[in-house]
Amino acid sequence: MIVVFLLCVIAGMPAAGQILDVCTTCHVNATCDHKSDGSGKVCNCKYGFVGNGRTFCIDKDECQIGATKICGQHTTCHNTYGSYYCTCRSGYSPSNNMPIFIPNDGTHCQDIDECRITGLCGEGGQCRNLEGSFECSCQLGYQVHNGVEPFNPHRDKASCKVVDCGQPVSVEDAVLLSVTGTTYGSIATYACDEGFIWARGENASVCGANGQWRGPTMVCEEVDCGTPPALPHSHMLWNKSSRIGTVVVYQCNSGYRNVGKGNVSICTAAGNWEEPPVFCQAKCGPVPFLANSEVVWHNRSVVVHRCVDRYHSWRGSNVSVCGISGLWQKATLRCIEIKPPINHLYVLNEKCLHWKAEKYEEDTEVYKVTYIGSRDYQRSFHDKRKRSLSSKADQLELCLNLLPVTNYSISITAVSARFTATITTNTSLPVPPAPVVYYREFETPVPTLRLRRSANTLDPISSYQVFVLLVEEIMVFDCSCPGHPDPSSKSKSSSQYITAQILVRHIGTEMNFTVGDGLYYGGFYNAPLKNGRNYYIIVRVVSQWKTDLKSSCVLWARIRGTSYVLKVSLLSSAASVGLLALVLLSGYSFIRFFKKT
Ligand SMILES: *[C@@H]1O[C@H](CO)[C@@H](O)[C@H](O)[C@H]1NC(C)=O
Ligand SMILES: *[C@@H]1O[C@H](CO)[C@@H](O)[C@H](O)[C@H]1NC(C)=O
Ligand SMILES: *[C@@H]1O[C@H](CO)[C@@H](O)[C@H](O)[C@H]1NC(C)=O
Ligand SMILES: *[C@@H]1O[C@H](CO)[C@@H](O)[C@H](O)[C@H]1NC(C)=O
Ligand SMILES: *[C@@H]1O[C@H](CO)[C@@H](O)[C@H](O)[C@H]1NC(C)=O
Ligand SMILES: CC(=O)N[C@H]1CO[C@H](CO)[C@@H](O)[C@@H]1O
């Protein structure tokens, strides 16, 4: 304000200057200059001075308006008489590299990077440049001594020193295995003491930046293997300790044997039981099979058997035992079907008794056989006989001399088994034996013929029939016919007829019979024979029971009334049909039996 005012005063006095040599009036610290419009001269205070150029030119304190304004940032302003200069503040340097400057050439103060100087912060120190300053901190692995971070080595006594964690710490139940050093980042490795096992945590300790060992977190626990593993079909012999080195012995249960490679397990340093290779295998395998038996009870070493229904046990033990060799010692029991000691009893061919013995081998059984025959047609008949037989055989045969046409009841007793079986059987009607005849040839029409009876148990149902055959050219006589001769029958031919029927039981050992005596025999008329005719007389024995009839015939006599010669053939069979053929031939006579095929 003052300056402006003064300039205005000077500018307001033009008339006086016109007259004087202005230049002589100029202040020592002023210059005389030509006016810019050429209208004379003027006194101007020199640069750095303010005033009217004639009476006063006083120093202008440029710094007064502020260093920042006049010199720029980070500067100090120095005023001089009539001038000033600038310097940079500590921590800054002028951009023109001169100690002082006037900012009118663009020079300014810039920050000095102190950190460019190595080692400024000392060993292990780390320099950090700041605006107009710097600070130090310690590198990793170093720690500040005699002070705190950050520090300034020019100002503070602080410095950096290398970290040293010292001896690694000791860990309970563990030993130091190795250590790489004591400085930052060194590693100490630990292992659990013998008998202890690493349970959790880190087994290494690291030297930290703070000079302390970090860790280890490792926790060692005493080895405890716990309960040894249970193995199937075995038990353990064990002192109940689960510490390292403890031994467990495995034993297979009874009925099992060890097929593994060993029988012990040891508690290892790792805290577990060694894998025992023990393998207990059932000694004998599945229960043994016995025919027709069932298992009542069993375990791996003992089996109790029992015969199933309808079978009974025979000798031997009913227990199978698993032997030391691993094989079943089988029960010796035998299960035998319960059957009567006499089985399949039958009579073969009406003659032989057959049966199957149900007994145990090598046993001799005594059989007593009683058989009683009875006949409806002969009340007095009692064929009672006994036989006995001693045999080891399974299939037996006993041939009995059974009589024909008899109902037999046969009892057979197995003596030691005290068992009796009974069977009934019928015998059939056989062809009866013909009587023994005294064959003769007669020339009389009233011949007396003789015969001797063949003893036969069928006599009560047998009779003799006397046939008269008139000789003709060809005659056929069927011995089996007629089955039921009826005396009243008119159908009988005149050439052959029954002249007498005599019950055999009425005959003694011998019989005399006279043909043609005109009497009745058994209802048949014994008609007189005609003179001069030729006849054959045949005796036929007939046995008959109910519907069965069997017969046999024999030529008894020839009555000669002519000179014919006869060939006589008796055709007969063992069966009921017998055929007697008489063939008349001249000059030749014989009797022959033909068997029917
Ligand atoms: C330390 O522990 C590591 C696993 O964390 C393992 O690999 C190493 O074997 C252990 N060292 C010792 C000495 O136990
Ligand atoms: C089986 O039973 C018998 C008799 O009771 C016994 O002596 C044996 O020890 C048992 N065996 C097994 C493997 O149980
Ligand atoms: C045998 O027995 C049966 C039945 O009882 C009877 O009908 C028959 O006449 C008997 N036979 C003899 C020869 O006794
Ligand atoms: C015995 O004979 C009768 C008839 O005479 C017959 O029915 C029965 O079957 C016979 N019995 C035997 C065991 O042969
Ligand atoms: C049958 O006749 C003979 C003589 O011709 C005689 O010796 C015998 O005694 C007689 N028999 C009977 C049973 O009459
Ligand atoms: C009379 C007067 O003020 N003179 C001054 C002129 O300037 C110089 C410095 O340049 C001073 O020392 C004088 O005193």
Side-chain angles (χ1 to χ4, degrees), residues 177 189-191 198 202-203:
L177 214 60
T189 310
Y190 296 82
W198 176 79
E202 282 291 329
N203 60 7

Side-chain angles (χ1 to χ4, degrees), residues 121-123 138 143-147 151 156-161:
C121 289
E123 190 202 339
C138 292
Q143 273 182 303
V144 66
H145 271 248
N146 298 328
F151 62 90
D156 310 317
K157 286 188 286 175
S159 65
C160 290
K161 280 198 165 174

Side-chain angles (χ1 to χ4, degrees), residues 148-404:
V148 292
E149 286 175 301
F151 62 90
N152 189 314
H154 305 323
R155 190 182 63 220
D156 310 317
K157 286 188 286 175
S159 65
C160 290
K161 280 198 165 174
V162 69
V163 164
D164 189 338
C165 288
Q167 280 305 304
V169 294
S170 64
V171 176
E172 208 182 335
D173 303 326
V175 288
L176 179 65
L177 214 60
S178 65
V179 60
T180 58
T182 59
T183 55
Y184 169 76
S186 294
I187 295 173
T189 310
Y190 296 82
C192 288
D193 264 338
E194 183 158 339
F196 288 82
I197 185 167
W198 176 79
R200 58 191 173 272
E202 282 291 329
N203 60 7
S205 173
V206 180
C207 177
N210 60 355
Q212 302 289 315
W213 287 101
R214 203 169 60 231
T217 55
M218 177 164 83
V219 175
C220 291
E221 284 178 354
E222 192 169 8
V223 166
D224 184 350
C225 287
T227 308
L231 297 177
H233 315 303
S234 68
H235 54 272
M236 294 178 272
L237 301 181
W238 177 44
N239 66 3
K240 301 284 184 255
S241 160
S242 53
R243 302 175 73 134
I244 188 167
T246 302
V247 175
V248 174
V249 178
Y250 287 88
Q251 276 185 354
C252 289
N253 292 338
S254 143
Y256 291 80
R257 64 185 157 158
N258 184 9
V259 296
K261 292 191 186 73
N263 66 341
V264 295
S265 174
I266 298 171
C267 176
T268 65
N272 48 35
W273 293 99
E274 242 176 20
E275 178 94 26
V278 182
F279 187 72
C280 293
Q281 205 177 53
K283 270 181 185 169
C284 291
V287 298
F289 173 76
L290 285 187
N292 304 316
S293 78
E294 58 194 5
V295 171
V296 183
W297 181 89
H298 76 95
N299 62 15
R300 289 282 173 191
S301 59
V302 173
V303 181
V304 179
H305 305 268
R306 168 173 71 194
C307 290
V308 296
D309 272 0
R310 295 189 297 105
Y311 287 80
H312 67 97
S313 55
W314 167 246
R315 287 181 183 153
S317 149
N318 65 340
V319 177
S320 295
V321 178
C322 182
I324 305 163
S325 57
L327 296 174
W328 287 106
Q329 285 157 9
K330 255 175 110 170
T332 49
L333 171 82
R334 279 184 56 206
C335 292
I336 297 190
E337 195 176 356
I338 299 170
K339 283 185 195 165
I342 297 167
N343 254 313
H344 303 295
L345 181 63
Y346 67 97
V347 176
L348 185 66
N349 296 333
E350 303 184 355
K351 200 174 171 192
C352 295
L353 194 59
H354 281 251
W355 71 94
K356 191 169 180 301
E358 284 301 330
K359 63 179 190 63
Y360 309 114
E361 81 273 5
E362 297 308 309
D363 271 15
T364 299
E365 182 60 280
V366 175
Y367 301 96
K368 289 198 184 303
V369 178
T370 303
Y371 52 111
I372 302 168
S374 65
R375 291 170 166 175
D376 281 359
Y377 56 87
Q378 192 181 9
R379 293 290 168 199
S380 60
F381 178 88
H382 277 293
D383 181 24
K384 179 168 181 176
R385 280 178 281 170
K386 285 184 177 173
R387 295 280 298 276
S388 82
L389 174 69
S390 167
S391 175
K392 289 182 177 181
D394 289 335
Q395 301 283 351
L396 292 110
E397 183 190 57
L398 182 65
C399 291
L400 306 170
N401 186 18
L402 300 180
L403 297 174

Side-chain angles (χ1 to χ4, degrees), residues 374-377 405-407 426 545-546:
S374 65
R375 291 170 166 175
D376 281 359
Y377 56 87
V405 201
T406 306
N407 283 351
N426 298 351
W545 174 242
K546 298 193 171 167

